[in-house]
Amino acid sequence: MGENGFRAEEIDTTKPHPARIYDYLLGGKDHYEVDRQAGEQLVAAAPEARIGVRANRAFLRRAVRHVVGSGVRQILDIGTGLPTSPNVHETALEVAPDIRVAYVDNDPIVHAHAGDLLGSDGTTGITSGILLADLRDPRAILDAPEVRAVIDFDEPVALLLAAVLHFLADTDKPQEIVATLRDALAPGSHLILSHATGDFADRSGAAAVYRKATAAMNLRTRTEIERFFDGFELIDPGVAQVPFWRPDTPPPPRSHEIGFYGGVARKSR
């Protein structure tokens, strides 16, 4: 058992992992050769992949600033991925000093790196925690002591599901999973969600790369993605390609090709 609570043999380095592929495309360093190879195959199949993941990250930062600016002080980030600075809590702290963040991911490497980041962060005014858990069991996430120690579900929460739901197949019943999480949230809570799509180009080749990874990618249409927001009120401009959701800088080149939708919504009751 390693010092972070998992055994080395639990980490599968024979197959690419979505979080590590994402890290590679973002220019990070927490990945293996198998992830780099998959990342290059992904770029060959979807040439906008690198700008797409960066645009998705920028969307997440804008969305976090928006919900924290609206008064939310608690964030539940499920499928957090490998830490990329500025991360969610760093972005939130740019807006308000009294932030509570619970990170959740099902990958032991993500769990270890996020734990190290939070343990050495050195910031003040933030209460945070990290949980190793799977989105497919939302009730276990909601009831976990690590989450309950950080999140008060009687107060508004920002639920982050950024670039994670497309790794759930329809047989996983992702809409029911989101509904379970939604029903646990107090009025005034927000949902921040982004999701891959094939609406703008044939991305079957990109999906094929992930079929060889530890999790397959399930591309969905805008209409299908909008259904995840049932029970919430979408905030303008609704579900949009991520570079065009309230941009604060000129969208990058090839933005119209980017196969990521994003949206933010509020739970009013």
Side-chain angles (χ1 to χ4, degrees):
M1 186 73 72
E3 64 179 17
N4 292 297
F6 58 87
R7 297 180 298 274
E9 58 266 28
E10 291 182 53
I11 303 171
D12 185 355
T13 60
T14 65
K15 289 184 177 181
H17 187 284
R20 300 193 305 257
I21 297 171
Y22 196 88
D23 177 75
Y24 171 69
L25 293 175
L26 283 174
K29 55 183 177 55
D30 298 313
H31 50 263
Y32 298 97
E33 178 61 27
V34 67
D35 306 304
R36 292 189 286 273
Q37 292 174 358
E40 289 302 321
Q41 292 167 5
L42 187 61
V43 170
E48 80 289 353
R50 278 194 173 91
I51 61 171
V53 297
R54 291 169 183 160
N56 181 66
R57 196 73 195 174
F59 156 75
L60 176 61
R61 294 198 67 216
R62 296 194 304 275
V64 167
R65 288 196 294 265
H66 172 81
V67 298
V68 174
S70 74
V72 176
R73 293 294 180 268
Q74 304 183 106
I75 300 173
L76 176 57
D77 183 0
I78 304 177
T80 181
L82 286 157
T84 301
S85 186
N87 214 310
V88 168
H89 69 274
E90 295 169 326
T91 300
L93 284 168
E94 294 172 6
V95 182
D98 52 339
I99 298 297
R100 305 167 69 88
V101 183
Y103 289 111
V104 181
D105 204 281
N106 70 347
D107 180 34
I109 290 182
V110 171
H111 182 262
H113 281 281
D116 289 344
L117 175 68
L118 294 174
S120 62
D121 185 78
T123 56
T124 58
I126 178 171
T127 301
S128 58
I130 174 73
L131 172 68
L132 183 64
D134 198 302
L135 177 58
R136 293 173 182 83
D137 190 353
R139 195 69 255 171
I141 293 173
L142 295 168
D143 294 338
E146 296 91 334
V147 170
R148 292 282 173 170
V150 177
I151 303 295
D152 178 358
F153 286 100
D154 291 328
E155 298 294 330
V157 177
L159 170 62
L160 272 59
L161 296 172
V164 63
L165 286 173
H166 48 238
F167 295 116
L168 299 185
D170 290 344
T171 53
D172 294 317
K173 300 181 179 180
Q175 281 189 262
E176 292 184 19
I177 289 170
V178 176
T180 297
L181 296 167
R182 177 200 65 212
D183 291 347
L185 303 178
S189 294
H190 287 70
L191 171 62
I192 298 173
L193 184 152
S194 63
H195 194 296
T197 184
D199 280 0
F200 306 103
D202 179 2
R203 289 297 173 251
S204 55
V209 174
Y210 283 98
R211 284 198 293 273
K212 300 175 184 177
T214 58
M217 176 178 282
N218 302 276
L219 302 173
R220 294 185 172 96
T221 66
R222 178 176 178 171
T223 298
E224 290 171 321
I225 294 166
E226 285 176 334
R227 294 189 188 118
F228 291 124
F229 291 96
D230 287 353
F232 293 92
E233 297 175 357
L234 277 163
I235 295 169
D236 286 340
V239 174
Q241 282 176 279
V242 288
F244 306 114
W245 193 92
R246 301 195 176 194
D248 51 10
T249 59
R254 305 187 71 166
S255 285
H256 288 282
E257 300 175 36
I258 290 175
F260 271 104
Y261 282 119
V264 179
R266 184 178 186 275
K267 183 179 179 181
S268 60
R269 55 185 174 83

